[in-house]
Amino acid sequence: MPKTSEAPAQKALPGRKAQAARNDGLILEAARAVFLADANAPIAAVAERAGVGISALYRRYPSKDVLLRTLCHEGLRRYNAEADAALKDSDGWRGLVGFLERVVDADVHSLTVHLAGTFIPDESMLPDIMHSGEVTEEIVRRAHATGKLRGDVNSQDVGLILESCAAIVLPDRERTVQLRRRVLAMLVAGSAADGDLPGPPPEVGEFAWRWERRQ
């Protein structure tokens, strides 16, 4: 009898964890949709879209700041994962182009375009922020080494390319993907062209002001 009574408790814990994980996934997916549509939307709109109670949401994310920070940190981790994968390609140019395509398809930079300044990044994000800068520098260095990437393109330009594609948004998701890929192909072609680009390239930290909280 004692063994029988303990069995349900042992099975219940994984079930609760599984449910919590499912809820977390639903919340983050809903938060992405809600806040990309309206960065000023209330957190209650996320709970409604996710189909979870507001108390369940607050247990996981005690404030909108925490939810926004988590959402953007997840996007940063996805960026870093794709960047790390690019460095495994033996061809530096192919690695750069494949990396750009994957990040555009993942729609990572929509988070930057829409949510920069809506929350304050904290120290937990710093290692991933530093890694993103380092790995992007290395991707660009390897692309330059192939002789295919024009010499006046730097790692900060990569962010501008990705944000330019993220700015393309249509009601039709499939058409959005098509046009983003089209524009990316034009930008990639321009990155391999001859001649000088107008003006100096962007500097490291030049766009950091966007992450200061807006009043």
Side-chain angles (χ1 to χ4, degrees), residues 80-81 83-84 126-136:
N80 286 348
D84 290 338
L126 187 57
D128 285 315
I129 292 172
M130 297 295 293
H131 183 69
S132 69
E134 293 167 357
V135 74
T136 305

Side-chain angles (χ1 to χ4, degrees), residues 123-156:
E123 291 185 359
S124 69
M125 299 178 68
L126 187 57
D128 285 315
I129 292 172
M130 297 295 293
H131 183 69
S132 69
E134 293 167 357
V135 74
T136 305
E137 287 274 3
E138 181 62 13
I139 290 172
V140 170
R141 187 195 68 78
R142 293 187 183 194
H144 277 142
T146 68
K148 295 180 181 180
L149 179 64
R150 59 192 307 158
D152 54 353
V153 171
N154 67 13
S155 61
Q156 305 306 306

Side-chain angles (χ1 to χ4, degrees), residues 16-65:
R16 287 197 297 271
K17 286 184 176 181
Q19 183 61 48
R22 284 193 294 271
N23 284 348
D24 199 43
L26 290 171
I27 289 169
L28 289 178
E29 183 180 347
R32 180 184 176 90
V34 168
F35 293 137
L36 287 185
D38 178 9
N40 295 316
I43 199 168
V46 176
E48 181 179 358
R49 186 180 181 96
V52 301
I54 191 69
S55 59
L57 189 152
Y58 274 119
R59 280 196 298 272
R60 181 67 181 87
Y61 302 101
S63 70
K64 184 176 177 180
D65 250 29

